[in-house]
Amino acid sequence: MAALTAALVTPGDDQLLKRWAKGDRDSLEELFCRYRSVAYRVAYRLLGHEADALDAVQDGFIKALTHLKACQGRSSFKTWLLRVVSNAALDLGRQRGRREILSMDAFAQTQREEWEPRASGDAGTRMEREDLQAQLQRALTQLPEAQRRTFVLHAEAELSYREVADVLGISIGTVMSRLYYARQKLRAFLKPWLQVP
């Protein structure tokens, strides 16, 4: 009963888009809130830099809204938006020269972790997790663009194979192939950090 009530109260993407087309600006805000987190994660994983990821998300949302008619009926709003955001991220990365290193803040954090003794308990686990995240970001920059984009959309945005195929305009077989090779390369790169001492 609670799920039914929530479904009645929470409008779907299509309903929000129709409301926005009629001039309801709050519906646009709701769509933005619904997808900004996943859009940011995708942009960040593609670019590896916080400020660039934020710029790409903003640019992606603006492009999505100005070309909204292109989305209608072809795919879900979420998959279409992530396609636009990932394109914006890759365009921005090309314009600014692909960043191969972490931002200065992340670099400083990594340096502190290397020099400070590991704390026991939760703080140590958190630091290890942060170190592994930094290594994952470095590993992602080593992947070819097509594999990185496919991996990020599947792993970070949690899109199905079909949705990734729709976003990228490729076959499911190509998605599976790219994911296989991306995982192999990431596994090889991260092997030193994943092994138990």
Side-chain angles (χ1 to χ4, degrees), residues 132-176:
L132 184 59
Q133 285 293 324
Q135 298 307 325
L136 174 60
Q137 189 60 42
R138 286 188 188 115
L140 285 170
T141 65
Q142 302 302 311
L143 293 178
E145 183 179 292
Q147 290 176 9
R148 184 172 71 248
R149 192 172 180 198
T150 304
F151 181 82
V152 167
L153 288 169
H154 180 66
E156 201 66 44
E158 300 177 353
L159 297 182
S160 69
Y161 287 1
R162 166 57 55 209
E163 291 170 321
V164 173
D166 290 345
V167 167
L168 298 178
I170 58 177
S171 71
I172 291 178
T174 303
V175 169
M176 294 170 69

Side-chain angles (χ1 to χ4, degrees), residues 74-100:
R74 292 179 50 197
S75 62
S76 73
F77 178 75
K78 177 185 178 185
T79 58
W80 184 76
L81 174 67
L82 292 177
R83 175 183 215 161
V84 174
V85 168
S86 64
N87 284 339
L90 293 173
D91 289 345
L92 185 64
R94 287 184 202 111
Q95 288 170 5
R96 294 189 179 172
R98 197 163 149 222
R99 296 178 194 268
E100 295 292 334

